[in-house]
Amino acid sequence: MSEPSSQKAFPVSWEQFHRDARALSWRLSGDRGFEAIVCITRGGLVPALIIARELGIRLIDTVCIASYHDYKEQGAAQILKGVGPEVAALTADGGTRILLIDDLVDTGKTARLVRDMLPKAHFATVYAKPMGRPLVDTFVTEVSQDTWIYFPWDLGLSFQPPIRDGHPG
Ligand SMILES: O=P(O)(O)OC[C@H]1O[C@H](OP(=O)(O)OP(=O)(O)O)[C@H](O)[C@@H]1O
Ligand SMILES: O=c1[nH]c(=O)c2nc[nH]c2[nH]1
Ligand SMILES: [Mg+2]
C-alpha cells in the first residue's frame, strides 16, 4: 500500500507502542485458555514479545506473509511460511487455543489470509483501521482509514523545522 502525502500521520514512539501492547495484553488476559501465540511477521513480532511476556505464553510461532513489498507498491500477498508442527497440533478444532497477533489491520487483506488458515483463532492487533476492523476480535486503538501509522522501528531521529517555517504537521 502506498503512503500518500495526503494521509494523516500517526507516529508511534517505542514507549507508546509498549504501552498500547500492554493495554492489548490486559484485554486478552483472564482465563482464556490460549496455549500458543502465532504472530504475523514481521510487524506482529514486536507486540507478540510483549503479549507473550505479559500472559506467560511460551509457545510462539510465526506465519510469514509478504504483502507490501515496499512503501510505494502493494504486491500480491504471499504466505512464505505456515505454522510448525507444535502449533499445527492445536489446529484440529480451528485453532480456538491460538492467539494470533499483528501490529495492525488496515484493508484486512493479511488478516483474511490468516483467518482462512486458522478460522477459530483469536485475532488481536494493537491498531485497527475501519476496513479491517470486522476481522479483528480485540484491538486497542482505531485510526481512520486515511491515517498512516508510523511504527518506531521504521522511524529515526531527524531535524524538525520550526512550525512558523511551514512545518506540515
Ligand atoms: O490489513 P492489510 O491491508 O493487509 O495491512 C496490514 C498488514 O500490513 C503490514 O504488514 P506488511 O505486509 O507491510 O509487512 P511487515 O509486517 O513485514 O512490515 C502490517 O504489519 C499488517 O500485517
Ligand atoms: O507502517 C505501516 N503503517 C500503516 O498504516 C500500514 N497499513 C498497512 N501497512 C502499514 N504499514
Ligand atoms: Mg505485517
Side-chain angles (χ1 to χ4, degrees), residues 69-92:
H69 297 297
D70 58 39
Y71 287 98
K72 297 275 180 272
E73 300 286 335
Q74 179 178 7
Q78 199 189 349
I79 299 176
L80 305 176
K81 175 198 161 290
V83 296
E86 296 82 0
V87 170
L90 297 172
T91 58

Side-chain angles (χ1 to χ4, degrees), residues 1 40-43 67-68 102-110:
M1 170 175 292
I40 304 168
T41 69
R42 294 159 303 179
S67 55
Y68 296 89
D102 206 348
D103 52 357
L104 85 134
V105 67
D106 186 324
T107 63
K109 190 172 141 187
T110 306

Side-chain angles (χ1 to χ4, degrees), residues 4 6 30 67 87 98 100 103 110 138 159 167:
S6 59
S67 55
V87 170
I98 296 172
L100 268 173
D103 52 357
T110 306
T138 308
F159 174 75
H167 190 279

